[in-house]
Amino acid sequence: MGSNLAAADGSSPLQTCQSAVAALARLPGWRLAMRSRWYRTLPEPPLPGAPPFVNGVALLEHEGGGGDADPARLLAALHALEDAAGRARPFPNAPRTLDLDLIAMDGLQREAPPPILPHPRAHLRRFVLQPLADIWPGWRHPVLGRTVEDLLADLPDSNLPKPIPG
């Protein structure tokens, strides 16, 4: 999850992400198992004048067991939370009040229908992998078969996520 714009109610990006975690914990059929610490990162790709992001990762566990853990339904719920936070999509990679991505789901691999799983760019994004490593060391990418630590080691040391104190 991430945010780099204040919400309409004046909430800071960190407050918006914290509220999103609380909303994730209330999703029917899902349990919030863990949340990473928060990080500050620069936008990727770089966008002149765009403020830095607050990023983190949450691990949800399905409580219903099996069949109704539908990725499309979960993604729709995430989009509804983004909309409630005032997310606008004026152009790709635009600054945003809230961005909730589905990174992976029980090792599922799918190219269609949406969402594509695992997320097609997660392995290239330090702002995803660093918080993921906080809560799930040893996580293995379902397609690449590599651990989160190996994927992080492959990335350049530029734009290192900076932990947010507190």
Side-chain angles (χ1 to χ4, degrees):
M1 73 190 77
S3 173
N4 71 336
L5 292 179
D9 67 2
S11 297
S12 71
L14 179 58
Q15 291 168 323
T16 298
C17 286
Q18 291 167 332
S19 295
V21 169
L24 291 171
R26 293 189 302 270
L27 286 177
W30 295 92
R31 182 179 80 78
L32 178 67
M34 281 190 252
R35 177 197 53 85
S36 71
R37 57 190 160 166
W38 299 111
Y39 289 89
R40 193 161 315 281
T41 59
L42 298 175
E44 286 185 29
L47 184 62
F53 272 89
V54 171
N55 290 108
V57 169
L59 176 63
L60 299 177
E61 293 178 346
H62 188 251
E63 293 182 324
D68 60 352
D70 176 44
R73 200 171 355 193
L74 179 56
L75 185 62
L78 298 180
H79 285 170
L81 294 176
E82 290 177 343
D83 293 344
R87 167 88 188 255
R89 292 174 170 81
F91 56 89
N93 300 311
R96 58 207 77 150
T97 55
L98 183 61
D99 185 25
L100 298 173
D101 286 331
L102 184 53
I103 303 302
M105 196 168 179
D106 292 328
L108 183 61
Q109 297 177 37
R110 69 189 237 168
E111 299 215 10
I116 297 170
L117 290 171
H119 189 287
R121 292 174 303 285
H123 66 287
L124 303 171
R125 295 175 164 175
R126 190 174 288 278
F127 67 86
V128 171
L129 296 175
Q130 189 65 58
L132 178 60
D134 283 353
I135 64 171
W136 199 341
W139 175 81
R140 196 166 287 279
H141 190 284
V143 172
L144 303 175
R146 305 194 58 223
T147 67
V148 64
E149 293 83 5
D150 291 337
L151 295 169
L152 277 166
D154 287 348
L155 296 177
D157 286 339
S158 59
N159 196 14
L160 293 174
K162 293 176 179 54
I164 297 173

